[in-house]
Each structure stands twice: as C-alpha cells, then as structure tokens.
Amino acid sequence: MAALLIGCLATPSLSETPTRDKFLWPFASTSPWNMPIGSDARYIPANIGKAHYAAADNEYFFKLKDGDPWRPVYAPGAWGEGRCTGTKPMDIWLPVPDDMIIPDATKYPYHTPNNASAFLMPDGKTLIQLEPLARCQNAGPIYGWRFPNVDIYGDGIGGAHFGSGLSSIGGSIRKSELTSNQPIHHALKVVIWGEKYLHYSHSSPTPGYRWPADRADGNAANQYHGNNPSLVQGTLLAIPPNVTEESLKLQTPAAKKLFHALQDYGAYVVDDAGWDAHYFAVEKGVTEEFRKSFGYDFEGSSGPFYEDFMKLFQAFSIVDNNGPNSIGGGGTLRVALAPPIGN
C-alpha cells in the first residue's frame, strides 16, 4: 500500500512526534486507522439525522505483564446479565491483576455495553481482543468472545467489534486526546442505529458490510432497514472539505477537535447502536476525564456539546471509494502519515 501512495503524500510534518508509542497509537502508518482522507475521495450524502442521545462506547485496553497471575478466558454466558456464567473455554489464558473488575451487564436498568477490549501481551506484539469483556470477581476468570490474534505492528484492521469484525483498539478516542492541545491524528469509530441507517441487501456480495469490515450482525437481514446501499458496517464517514467549524456553528472545544479529526481522517462504522443514539468509541476513562476538564458530560440528550455532537453526525458524508487500494479515497493526503512506531 505504501508503494501505491508514496507519490501523492502531503507535505505537512508530524515533527512534534518523531516516533510514536505503539500502545497509545497502534498499527502501521498505512493502516486504515491511521490513513488520512485523500484529495480523490468521492463523497456522497450519508443523510444521518439527529439522534435522541449522544453516547460513548467504552473500550478497555491493557498492557499485560508476565508477573501477574494467568487466568483463563471463557465465552460469556449471556449477552445481557450473566456474562460471568460462561463455561466454554476460549483456549487462552491472560496475565491480569487480581483486582481487575469489569462489571456484568444488568437487567434493571437495562445495560448491555459492548465492552470491546484489547490486551497487549507481554511479548509487546500480540493483541488479544475480546467482546463483551467481563470479570465479576477478584482473581476470577475473564469472559469475552475472542478475535484471532492481531499484530500491533500490522494493519490492525480486524478485532472484537463483532458487528463489523473491526478493531477494538484502532480508531478509539484515547485518554487525553479530547482534553489536550494536540490534534487527534487517526480515524475514529462510530456506532449508529442499524434499524434506521444501516443497509442490507441479499443481492450484495457483502450484504450489510463493506471493506474494511468482514461481516455484519448475525441478524442483519432483519435488523438493518436503512435505504442507502453505501451505508453499512465498515463504511468510512467523513466531513467534506467545504464544511467548516464556522458553517456548523460549533460551540465546544472538544467538538471542534473532533471536527478536524473527522475531516482529516473520518470515522468507520463498527457496530449497531440498537436504539436512537449516536456513539463515538472511546477508551474507558475518557468520559470521566472529559467531565473533569470541561464541567459537563460527554453523554446526554441536551446542552451545547450534545448539539455539537449531533451537528458532526449530520455533517457526515460517505467516502464511497474507500477501499484496500484507495484508503481514504486516495490522492494527496490531507495531512501527513503517522510517524514510525518507536518501541
């Protein structure tokens, strides 16, 4: 892929970050998670409307050490309450601290978070991805369906967002990214309501999904009722170049930062929200940090940030020529490629 793009790279520099940390900013520079939008991107309308709720899809990331106790991983006993009752082995053990707790889903109030997760193994290279992650007791087993091993130095496409088969860790908004004065230098991930927006066609060779996704939800034929054939799992959404912060009348600093990431890199659709909500995928801890820094919540159904959040989704177009040979649409990149990994 680098050979296809080397003649049309943009000239901006990321000299403030001559190398990057693989855990904080993973995968190859030409990974879809790191590739900017190009000048040949072909934009078509996404027609995403305002949702009732602005939400965060929390993801969990861990760097593992050999010194911690090795614990078995089992398939969840249920998607809802009872995740920690599973008995089917996932054929892997992970070294985790005994006090690592990830709560079960709940019936009342109804709460079934995706809890996509990624564990960097002690070898510093192998990522184990699980969803929905749960661990209900100290020193107990870990629960989550497992995605095949991924190399953190590779393209990082696949992972445990099982509605699409896309990465748990690539594209996640990481801690400090919304509150620091540095731009976000990678694509993002979004979750939208399948019943309203995602399309399914039995006649498509890839019904309900497109590259880089490798699947749609198991019940997609009955679940997806969107009428735009280009809006499916794996679709790259982006804000077109003619749109500005000013034209959207954005009010909040975090939304302005998100705007530039969504214009320069875009966001991949990775799961079905299951209700009238739009989500960004974020590292666990981002929403708490956001509240502490700005004094209002990331999630909600009213207020200036909610309004800005919705304007971003309403401004999305689809990069319809995104593909393995034209990541981000191809052409001259809007910003420079990510620097090399330094560790």
Side-chain angles (χ1 to χ4, degrees):
M1 179 52 59
L4 295 174
L5 294 164
I6 195 70
C8 55
L9 298 183
T11 56
S13 170
L14 291 177
S15 57
E16 71 272 14
T17 310
T19 61
R20 56 191 165 99
D21 183 293
K22 64 190 176 190
F23 186 69
L24 299 177
W25 190 355
F27 305 127
S29 298
T30 52
S31 161
W33 303 115
N34 292 324
M35 183 64 75
I37 303 293
S39 59
D40 292 340
R42 186 169 68 246
Y43 297 91
I44 65 171
N47 297 322
I48 296 174
K50 195 171 184 177
H52 170 71
Y53 198 74
D57 190 18
N58 285 301
E59 301 169 324
Y60 293 81
F61 309 135
F62 303 93
K63 275 195 292 190
L64 303 184
K65 302 178 297 189
D66 274 321
D68 283 322
W70 289 75
R71 304 298 182 191
V73 178
Y74 294 97
W79 174 255
E81 190 175 34
R83 291 177 175 183
C84 294
T85 62
T87 57
K88 179 184 177 182
M90 288 286 96
D91 300 321
I92 190 167
W93 291 55
L94 298 176
V96 296
D98 281 342
D99 61 356
M100 186 196 89
I101 298 293
I102 310 296
D104 194 1
T106 57
K107 187 182 297 183
Y108 305 108
Y110 185 69
H111 184 56
T112 56
N114 285 324
N115 285 7
S117 61
F119 298 80
L120 181 60
M121 296 297 281
D123 66 5
K125 176 180 178 180
T126 305
L127 282 168
I128 305 297
Q129 299 176 80
L130 307 175
E131 187 193 71
L133 179 65
R135 195 197 199 193
C136 300
Q137 62 184 41
N138 283 3
I142 302 156
Y143 297 88
W145 286 292
R146 175 188 176 189
F147 188 84
N149 293 5
V150 167
D151 185 341
I152 200 168
Y153 296 99
D155 64 24
I157 289 174
H161 272 283
F162 287 122
S164 62
L166 290 173
S167 179
S168 300
I169 189 170
S172 182
I173 297 172
R174 304 298 293 269
K175 285 184 282 190
S176 85
E177 284 192 321
L178 289 177
T179 56
S180 76
N181 58 7
Q182 295 297 313
I184 297 172
H185 289 303
H186 58 78
L188 305 183
K189 291 181 297 201
V190 294
V191 177
I192 58 178
W193 192 12
E195 181 178 337
K196 186 171 184 179
Y197 295 114
L198 297 178
H199 185 77
Y200 188 93
S201 171
H202 289 285
S203 63
S204 169
T206 57
Y209 68 98
R210 61 188 294 175
W211 187 91
D214 69 0
R215 72 194 74 182
D217 283 286
N219 193 37
N222 301 313
Q223 191 170 322
Y224 299 174
H225 298 296
N227 58 17
N228 187 337
S230 293
L231 186 49
V232 291
Q233 298 288 1
T235 290
L236 177 60
L237 300 168
I239 297 176
N242 63 320
V243 181
T244 65
E245 286 181 26
E246 293 74 23
S247 67
L248 292 182
K249 297 182 170 61
L250 297 177
Q251 305 173 67
T252 58
K256 292 176 182 179
K257 180 175 279 197
L258 288 167
F259 167 86
H260 290 287
L262 295 170
Q263 195 165 66
D264 289 342
Y265 294 92
Y268 286 94
V269 178
V270 297
D271 262 320
D272 178 0
W275 71 302
D276 189 16
H278 298 327
Y279 290 75
F280 283 108
V282 307
E283 180 180 11
K284 177 64 177 173
V286 162
T287 57
E288 294 84 352
E289 178 185 74
F290 184 95
R291 172 73 193 185
K292 184 176 180 181
S293 293
F294 297 118
Y296 47 84
D297 289 328
F298 185 92
E299 300 184 282
S301 56
S302 64
F305 184 69
Y306 163 80
E307 296 295 339
D308 280 356
F309 192 119
M310 293 303 141
K311 289 174 185 176
L312 296 174
F313 276 78
Q314 290 172 290
F316 274 139
S317 286
I318 294 166
V319 180
D320 205 35
N321 61 335
N322 182 59
N325 297 318
S326 57
I327 303 175
T332 302
L333 305 182
R334 287 184 56 87
V335 291
L337 285 177
I341 290 173
N343 56 350

